[in-house]
Amino acid sequence: MGSWDARTLTGGMADNAANTQNMTVVVTGASGRTGSRVVQAARTAGCTVRSASRTRGFDWEDRTTWAQTLRGADAAYLVYPSDVGAPAATEGVGALAREAAGLGVRRLVLLSARGEQQALATEEALKVSGAEWTVVRASWFAQNFSEGPLVEELRRGELVFPAGEVREPFVDVRDIGDVVAAVLTSGERFVGRTVELTGPRLLSFRDAVAEISAASGTTFAYTPVPARAYGEALTGFGVPPEEAEFLVEVFEGLLDGRNACVTDGVQRVLGRSPRDFTDFVREAAAAGTWKV
Ligand SMILES: NC(=O)c1ccc[n+]([C@@H]2O[C@H](COP(=O)([O-])OP(=O)(O)OC[C@H]3O[C@@H](n4cnc5c(N)ncnc54)[C@H](OP(=O)(O)O)[C@@H]3O)[C@@H](O)[C@H]2O)c1
């Protein structure tokens, strides 16, 4: 159930909110799904937040932009765009983490992907950087259905995806934001640990699309396809073949049933239950997310 790669935690909520008032936290991917929630949660915790993405002058692909973003900060949340298991992520995260540690950014939290074999090398690159590290491995985001590339497809009436009937404990990105903020600001408690975050229950992608249909009043279809056929379709849409091949391998692994169990990561860090998929769907439907 609980997934901690070192000691077992015994405490509850993050305990040192008072110490966060003078803390400066860099949040990469700040305009993205998880980063935007980390920004909110860290501000609520009293931190000074430095939002980082290309529009703010920080680019993972341009190392000359890193120091100006990191210098003077106490901690950083690292989101590698596209995929934490991509070949470039290992080198990028390792190099940035070493630079951050050298500049005195003591604590680093990396967003990783639960069950993704390809992400292990990137996690390792963080661990040997010299910084106080925490890895937050998230399961599939609930918000994949409301923000990002799958939404437009869903709005067109049919989600074609290589997930078969496998069940997944979709996690709400707001819980990721809350957990990351707690980890960044919680003394030594989470240093040197890997935290696996899931939602509270398992749903198949078919179940998820059915919940979205019921809440939004529009019938959407879910059509499972083999990962290889999905990769060929991506290539047809202009995705470079090596990128499509990488995604096929990632999906074949992630969606083979290995993640079909829940963890107590959110409860352990925050002292409360994770948000349920049904609540996410109700709120997103009320906001008109799936209006066609
Ligand atoms: N989707 C899932 O279910 C899931 C589950 C577990 C882990 N993950 C991991 O989550 C990560 C993606 O996180 P997310 O979904 O929160 O992000 P996201 O919503 O995909 O947004 C990407 C963010 O990165 C920024 N960005 C893109 N290219 C950049 C570059 N070259 N330099 C600097 N910033 C750049 C974007 O802002 P700008 O465009 O302004 O630069 C944006 O803020 C991936 O590593 C993935 O493996 C995903």
Side-chain angles (χ1 to χ4, degrees):
M1 287 278 288
S3 302
W4 307 88
D5 72 352
R7 299 147 290 168
T8 303
L9 288 183
T10 51
M13 290 284 290
D15 49 14
N16 68 336
N19 298 338
T20 64
Q21 297 301 327
N22 298 319
M23 224 179 140
T24 297
V25 172
V26 172
V27 177
T28 64
S31 54
R33 285 170 292 198
T34 63
S36 58
R37 275 68 178 204
V38 173
V39 168
Q40 288 169 16
R43 285 203 177 120
T44 301
C47 299
T48 300
V49 173
R50 203 178 283 169
S51 295
S53 68
R54 288 170 298 187
T55 50
R56 304 292 191 113
F58 168 78
D59 191 339
W60 278 99
E61 291 174 17
D62 180 359
R63 294 185 183 196
T64 65
T65 65
W66 294 359
Q68 66 191 21
T69 301
L70 297 167
R71 190 171 285 116
D74 302 293
Y77 172 60
L78 306 184
V79 174
Y80 197 82
S82 71
D83 199 293
V84 63
T90 303
E91 202 190 321
V93 167
L96 186 128
R98 285 192 300 277
E99 181 155 348
L103 288 167
V105 185
R106 269 200 0 265
R107 180 157 311 162
L108 302 178
V109 177
L110 172 70
L111 175 65
S112 190
R114 183 174 183 239
E116 186 175 327
Q117 196 68 23
Q118 293 84 345
L120 296 179
T122 308
E123 295 180 4
E124 193 53 35
L126 173 78
K127 292 177 185 177
V128 298
S129 67
E132 295 177 358
W133 61 267
T134 305
V135 172
V136 171
R137 285 185 190 150
S139 54
W140 284 80
F141 305 160
Q143 279 78 2
N144 286 335
F145 294 101
S146 62
E147 301 168 33
L150 301 186
V151 187
E152 280 313 310
E153 194 182 336
L154 197 52
R155 283 201 192 111
R156 285 196 293 274
E158 182 188 22
L159 178 66
V160 179
F161 205 65
E165 304 302 331
V166 77
R167 296 196 307 153
E168 174 70 23
F170 298 102
V171 66
D172 192 306
V173 294
R174 292 172 294 182
D175 286 340
I176 299 175
D178 291 346
V179 164
V180 169
V183 167
L184 284 167
T185 58
S186 291
E188 303 289 313
R189 286 183 49 217
F190 306 102
V191 172
R193 297 179 189 277
T194 297
V195 186
E196 292 205 348
L197 302 183
T198 73
R201 70 192 164 101
L202 297 168
L203 293 95
S204 67
F205 280 66
R206 190 182 299 285
D207 296 334
V209 171
E211 284 212 21
I212 291 168
S213 298
S216 60
T218 305
T219 301
F220 300 108
Y222 165 65
T223 304
V225 288
R228 181 92 12 224
Y230 190 75
E232 282 163 14
L234 289 179
T235 312
F237 286 123
V239 175
E242 62 280 4
E243 210 175 299
E245 182 58 30
F246 168 75
L247 289 174
V248 167
E249 284 171 19
V250 167
F251 289 150
E252 278 177 345
L254 280 184
L255 298 166
D256 67 357
R258 72 183 63 185
N259 286 334
C261 59
V262 299
T263 69
D264 58 1
V266 171
Q267 179 73 42
R268 280 180 182 247
V269 177
L270 299 175
R272 64 157 174 81
S273 304
R275 292 174 169 91
D276 191 79
F277 190 78
T278 300
D279 297 330
F280 150 73
V281 168
R282 191 182 52 248
E283 290 166 39
T289 302
W290 298 293
K291 273 219 165 74
V292 286

